[in-house]
Amino acid sequence: MSVFFEEKASFTVIGKVGQGSAADSPSWIPPLWQEANNNFEEIRTLAKTDAEGNIVGLWGAMSDLSENFKRWTDQGKYLAGCEVLENSIAPFGWTKWIVPSYKFAVMKCSQSTYQEIFNYMINDYLPTNNYSIVGAIHEFYNPVEANEHLYLYFPIEKRDIK
């Protein structure tokens, strides 16, 4: 399993937001993506693009209920959306989040390996390598990769070893 690290400056996502039980997230998150995808034309012109005109990223951004980008407890918020230009204004019915800058440990997975990779990072890789998770974990979908893969972004910092 390959982990890579990325220092990412704060970035802006506009999407469809929902909140609910962490245990029940498979029932309330997919409808957010369906709503975002069905209405994407409303935000297409705000999307951040690369030099070839490709959208730079779709995000399943997560936060605690207070929207301070802390980890989920038994409840959480999820924003199914697109990375946009910083000064973008969310249209009616859409939500804008500015995700803070972090150093991320990143792993690629698929829907079928999501839980395995998530558990490996939380229970094995990060503790073994003296990292602490310092915020909410995010999902990144690269639109240029036309497959079912996604990337889990774990905001981390090195723990002091005493």
Side-chain angles (χ1 to χ4, degrees), residues 21-132:
S21 159
D24 197 31
S25 61
S27 71
W28 60 270
I29 290 176
L32 295 173
W33 279 111
Q34 185 174 6
E35 185 180 357
N37 290 334
N38 289 345
N39 297 289
F40 184 73
E41 288 305 315
E42 296 174 12
I43 63 166
R44 178 177 290 284
T45 59
L46 304 175
K48 199 177 215 182
T49 55
D50 64 17
E52 288 81 45
N54 299 309
I55 292 170
V56 298
L58 302 174
W59 288 90
M62 297 187 221
S63 181
D64 59 319
L65 295 181
S66 65
E67 294 186 12
N68 287 317
F69 299 99
K70 293 183 177 142
R71 287 184 67 188
W72 283 15
T73 54
D74 60 330
Q75 299 275 314
K77 284 193 173 186
Y78 186 98
L79 184 70
C82 179
E83 190 167 341
V84 298
L85 300 170
E86 186 179 311
N87 60 353
S88 297
I89 297 170
F92 180 78
W94 293 83
T95 299
K96 175 181 171 178
W97 281 0
I98 300 172
V99 179
S101 173
Y102 288 109
K103 177 178 182 177
F104 291 98
V106 183
M107 277 200 80
K108 188 175 189 176
C109 68
S110 66
Q111 291 299 334
S112 63
T113 62
Y114 188 109
Q115 200 61 53
E116 174 190 352
I117 297 294
F118 188 92
N119 291 337
Y120 167 73
M121 289 295 285
I122 297 289
N123 300 318
D124 188 9
Y125 183 86
L126 295 174
T128 300
N129 291 283
N130 295 311
Y131 287 108
S132 295

